[in-house]
Amino acid sequence: MKNPMLEAVSLVLEKLLLISNFKLFSSGAPVEDKARNTFYEINSFLRGDVLEVPRTHLTHYGIYLGDNRVAHMMPDILLALTDDKELTQKVVSNKRLILGVIGRVASIRVDTVEDFAYGADILVNHLDRSLKKKALLNEEVARRAEKLLGMTPYSLLWNNCEHFVTYCRFGTAISPQADKDISKCTVKECGNAVPLPAMPESCPVIAADVIRVSIQRS
């Protein structure tokens, strides 16, 4: 059963996070020439590896599927406007991303390593060390990611790219990045910070069957 107060608190927190990171989202993608000139050692990646792309204020995550393919969660408002796969498969622009975050619509999609990282450095399986968790076998990680491909609800707090990869890699959907952002929320940036509430019952948890049920109910 839905808790209206919890839903309201979660919505406010998500909006505050979006506002606090707005400069990051609106600053534009990395310089195109850099993206084109960056060479990645794709042969060093193994199927099921977690690829991590550090940015200035946040980190983007994906699961390597092999053959220069990366599965990752991307907010994209275009998914709510058209079924044209030729349009939606194009690299997501910042405008599409921002509106996707606001509209809570995303997809777990497959892009090349180059389009996924867009010129940034890539860390491999860094979460294994930072979270000190035992990873599942790489093939199981990749299969989990492949089963989740397609549209999914999006939430900065409860269902973001880090939730996706931690579910695939460790079997538990968590996002230390989101927790850290909330804990750093200051009075100046976000008003009086409130404790991070427990996950709302209505919020999707990263698991293939749960996501399908959530979409069907919406």
Side-chain angles (χ1 to χ4, degrees):
M1 185 174 181
K2 292 184 178 181
N3 185 324
M5 181 61 71
L6 194 54
E7 290 282 327
V9 172
S10 298
L11 181 60
V12 170
L13 286 174
E14 288 194 16
K15 299 305 180 187
L16 292 176
L17 278 178
L18 180 61
I19 292 171
S20 67
N21 287 306
F22 182 77
K23 288 184 179 180
L24 169 69
F25 287 123
S26 60
S27 60
V31 179
E32 186 174 355
D33 288 342
K34 180 181 178 182
R36 288 178 176 176
N37 294 330
T38 301
F39 177 76
Y40 296 105
E41 293 286 351
I42 295 174
N43 291 334
S44 67
F45 302 150
L46 300 177
R47 178 173 161 83
D49 280 349
V50 171
L51 303 188
E52 181 175 329
V53 179
R55 301 294 189 189
T56 304
H57 297 290
L58 55 78
T59 301
H60 188 51
Y61 297 90
I63 301 292
Y64 188 65
L65 301 180
D67 298 324
N68 195 22
R69 298 176 301 130
V70 183
H72 60 129
M73 183 186 293
M74 282 291 290
D76 184 5
I77 192 61
L78 198 57
L79 295 167
L81 304 176
T82 179
D83 294 327
D84 190 334
K85 292 184 178 180
E86 186 174 345
L87 290 176
T88 56
Q89 189 55 40
K90 293 181 179 179
V91 176
V92 179
S93 66
N94 275 350
K95 289 182 179 179
R96 284 167 57 184
L97 185 150
I98 293 171
L99 292 175
V101 172
I102 295 172
R104 295 187 172 190
V105 58
S107 71
I108 296 172
R109 54 182 284 153
V110 175
D111 284 304
T112 65
V113 171
E114 292 79 11
D115 286 342
F116 163 76
Y118 213 88
D121 294 332
I122 296 177
L123 301 178
V124 181
N125 296 329
H126 183 257
L127 279 176
D128 292 9
R129 297 184 292 276
S130 62
L131 297 183
K132 298 180 180 180
K133 286 182 173 290
K134 182 178 180 180
L136 300 173
L137 296 176
N138 270 38
E139 183 58 30
E140 173 64 18
V141 174
R143 287 178 179 175
R144 283 177 173 236
E146 289 169 339
K147 288 180 180 178
L148 292 172
L149 293 177
M151 286 187 64
T152 178
Y154 183 81
S155 168
L156 282 169
L157 295 179
W158 313 120
N159 195 30
N160 62 40
C161 65
E162 192 171 21
H163 290 105
F164 164 62
V165 299
T166 53
Y167 167 75
C168 293
R169 186 75 175 172
F170 308 111
T172 304
I174 58 174
S175 179
Q177 187 171 216
D179 296 344
K180 184 178 180 181
D181 282 343
I182 287 294
S183 67
K184 291 194 305 182
C185 187
T186 64
V187 173
K188 180 179 179 181
E189 294 176 343
C190 304
N192 293 320
V194 292
L196 185 64
M199 182 181 295
E201 294 178 9
S202 62
C203 193
V205 180
I206 285 289
D209 293 337
V210 177
I211 284 179
R212 292 192 187 100
V213 171
S214 177
I215 293 175
Q216 289 172 358
R217 289 177 177 174
S218 61

